[in-house]
Amino acid sequence: MQAAKAALPRKLVIGTAEETVALFMERWSKEKGHLPMNRTVTEAIDKHLATLPIVTVAN
């Protein structure tokens, strides 16, 4: 894992990643309807996000 190469504690790295994903998902759910993109793009992003293990762990 890259955390070891950077001499960072694994728990800190994982926790930071999970926090970042949780904050992104919160903002995404509130703002995606206001972004200048087609609804099909938003739906495709939502579908893809649902397949990412870190998203399902963080939520």
Side-chain angles (χ1 to χ4, degrees):
M1 173 171 237
Q2 296 301 327
K5 287 184 180 181
L8 297 170
R10 177 178 163 76
K11 185 175 179 176
L12 173 66
V13 173
I14 298 297
T16 301
E18 289 173 344
E19 180 181 355
T20 301
V21 169
L23 288 170
F24 169 80
M25 294 303 292
E26 179 184 327
R27 300 300 191 296
W28 173 247
S29 67
K30 290 179 183 177
E31 300 299 330
K32 65 184 173 184
H34 306 290
L35 297 172
M37 65 177 75
N38 188 295
R39 183 173 156 184
T40 58
V41 173
T42 303
E43 291 170 355
I45 292 170
D46 281 333
K47 186 176 179 180
H48 179 67
L49 287 170
T51 68
L52 302 176
I54 195 162
V55 171
T56 58
V57 168
N59 285 325

